[in-house]
Amino acid sequence: MSTSKTITFTLFIAALLSSCDAATNATSQPLFPAILIFGDSTVDTGNNNYHSQTIFKAKHLPYGIDLPNHKASGRFTNGKIFSDIIATKLNIKQFVPPFLQPNLSDQEIVTGVCFASAGAGYDDHTSLSTQAIRVLDQQKMFKNYIARLKSIVGDKKAMEIIKNALVVISAGPNDFILNYYDIPSRRLEFPHISGYQDFVLQRLDNFVRELYSLGCRKIMVGGLPPMGCLPIQMTAKFRNALRFCLEQENRDSVLYNQKLQNLLPQIEASLTGSKILYSNVYDPMMDMMQNPSKYGFKETKRGCCGTGHLETSFMCNAFSPTCRNHSEFLFFDSIHPSEATYNYMGNFLDTQIRVWLSLRLKS
């Protein structure tokens, strides 16, 4: 990032934080009646636990070790993930339950659930290789959710809740890691990364439009993180003994995010009454990696679990040694951030959301 962009970004964050403080002091009421979450393991709160075919599960320690009950919940980190943190800060609920969890209460349904699945992506090839719940099938789950919501509060109230709910979409890294970088199954069809990016973005476009057709209006869409700085991607380059970030993959992430930022206003303009927010995850994560001491991190190149180079899901388990201080590691396993990182991300995104709401109310 250039110096001018860095300064602009810093000033923007300062303005966001100021607005956030004012908004927090102004009200303790939920800013949205519900939160609805779609995507991959970054936002999966446990759906894969209740789906027999999914490969990636986090229903064993050390996942969840820092949750209040110290039990694994299906979240791929040591505690809360950023969607829980956003829901908490927006005064909706403390934890967002997975839709597939048996015996969900009516109140949990009314205030929102998670449909995400670890291993999922916008590209159906991604979910085929991981047996994750496809984004298309997450949409089908959402239809079942709507039916139950209507049975609880009636048709009119249900559609009012969905219209005003915050919809969070977080996916994309699996598509590139599993189909282009580490397992190049899509490279014959898309010899240049830009072509595959466009394909993924078209699938994302279709998904947003489908959610709109089902009544969603307030939608936050996440960009890509610095994929070349994920510990597992550093490990994938066997000669990377010094474990430096893969700059080409980071450049690919930046290009994808630029395309996404251009696409979302176009989608919004074509969908009457929609309000779509781009969720910037790249810049804050990169800042954590480049300035770890500012956030209290001592390790950014490997995960807390095991060696931190390769372990994730079933490879990160009760027999894996873990770091002593979880909050000093940016990553908990070789792919997923620690709860400390998710806390910073959640605070950052909460601020984005509040400013977005404030600007939209004035427009």
Side-chain angles (χ1 to χ4, degrees):
M1 186 183 292
S2 67
T3 302
S4 62
K5 285 185 177 179
T6 301
I7 293 171
T8 300
F9 180 68
T10 303
L11 292 173
F12 180 57
I13 296 305
L16 290 181
L17 290 173
S18 175
S19 174
C20 179
D21 290 341
T24 301
N25 293 333
T27 179
S28 60
Q29 294 298 310
L31 294 186
F32 302 87
I35 186 167
L36 303 168
I37 301 167
F38 301 85
D40 58 20
S41 58
T42 57
V43 285
D44 183 0
T45 60
N47 281 306
N48 279 19
N49 286 358
Y50 306 104
H51 194 284
S52 61
Q53 294 182 342
T54 55
I55 295 174
F56 300 124
K57 302 180 191 293
K59 59 180 181 180
H60 53 270
L61 292 175
Y63 293 115
I65 195 167
D66 294 320
L67 287 172
N69 60 5
H70 308 292
K71 292 183 179 179
S73 64
R75 291 165 173 81
F76 284 77
T77 190
N78 51 306
K80 282 186 168 186
I81 56 177
F82 81 81
S83 47
D84 296 313
I85 293 157
I86 290 173
T88 300
K89 294 187 75 66
L90 296 176
N91 301 308
I92 301 171
K93 57 173 69 182
Q94 292 289 314
F95 294 92
V96 184
F99 180 63
L100 295 183
Q101 178 181 312
N103 305 316
L104 280 177
S105 69
D106 288 352
Q107 180 61 21
E108 291 283 28
I109 291 292
V110 169
T111 53
V113 296
C114 170
F115 305 94
S117 172
Y122 298 114
D123 185 348
D124 284 346
H125 276 208
T126 305
S127 296
L128 285 173
S129 64
T130 63
Q131 296 299 299
I133 304 167
R134 298 183 305 162
V135 168
L136 181 64
D137 291 328
Q138 292 178 32
Q139 174 191 312
K140 293 177 182 176
M141 290 161 60
F142 181 46
K143 290 179 180 179
N144 293 334
Y145 165 86
I146 294 173
R148 179 162 176 198
L149 183 62
K150 286 181 175 179
S151 73
I152 297 169
V153 299
D155 290 12
K156 183 177 180 181
K157 179 66 174 176
M159 297 316 297
E160 191 68 20
I161 290 172
I162 291 166
K163 177 183 177 182
N164 291 295
L166 174 64
V167 176
V168 178
I169 303 173
S170 177
N174 291 329
D175 293 317
F176 293 94
I177 291 172
L178 296 175
N179 297 321
Y180 211 85
Y181 295 136
D182 300 355
I183 307 173
S185 59
R186 283 290 196 181
R187 286 202 178 191
L188 288 177
E189 188 175 356
F190 301 100
H192 301 290
I193 189 70
S194 60
Y196 186 61
Q197 289 174 340
D198 294 341
F199 170 78
V200 170
L201 288 167
Q202 183 58 58
R203 299 302 301 266
L204 185 158
D205 185 320
N206 294 343
F207 183 59
V208 170
R209 292 178 187 278
E210 286 295 330
L211 292 180
Y212 177 87
S213 73
L214 293 171
C216 300
R217 293 295 181 269
K218 298 178 173 66
I219 304 171
M220 181 172 77
V221 182
L224 293 177
M227 287 193 294
C229 293
L230 298 178
I232 198 166
Q233 290 307 97
M234 296 183 195
T235 302
K237 299 296 182 183
F238 296 110
R239 296 180 182 177
N240 189 2
L242 298 178
R243 299 192 64 76
F244 50 81
C245 292
L246 310 179
E247 292 304 322
Q248 184 57 57
E249 292 188 13
N250 283 351
R251 285 194 291 269
D252 292 343
S253 295
V254 170
L255 178 59
Y256 173 93
N257 290 340
Q258 290 171 344
K259 290 181 177 182
L260 178 59
Q261 289 178 79
N262 291 332
L263 174 64
L264 294 180
Q266 297 173 30
I267 300 175
E268 180 179 287
S270 68
L271 300 176
T272 304
S274 67
K275 295 176 175 61
I276 304 176
L277 171 67
Y278 166 72
S279 169
N280 179 2
V281 298
Y282 185 99
D283 287 324
M285 281 204 71
M286 184 58 78
D287 193 49
M288 291 181 215
M289 292 168 181
Q290 294 176 339
N291 304 287
S293 61
K294 186 166 75 174
Y295 300 91
F297 294 128
K298 293 186 176 179
E299 178 58 67
T300 64
K301 296 183 177 181
R302 63 184 180 91
C304 169
C305 183
T307 65
H309 294 175
L310 194 63
E311 293 88 346
T312 189
S313 187
F314 56 87
M315 294 177 69
C316 174
N317 54 56
F319 299 102
S320 305
T322 56
C323 60
R324 183 173 298 178
N325 191 336
H326 306 158
S327 64
E328 292 180 351
F329 277 61
L330 192 146
F331 292 96
F332 188 67
D333 64 16
S334 65
I335 299 174
H336 304 99
S338 65
E339 183 183 46
T341 305
Y342 277 133
N343 267 317
Y344 289 118
M345 293 298 301
N347 290 336
F348 179 83
L349 296 175
D350 170 66
T351 306
Q352 280 192 305
I353 292 165
R354 289 174 187 273
V355 171
W356 174 56
L357 272 182
S358 175
L359 294 174
R360 286 301 182 181
L361 289 173
K362 293 176 181 177
S363 63

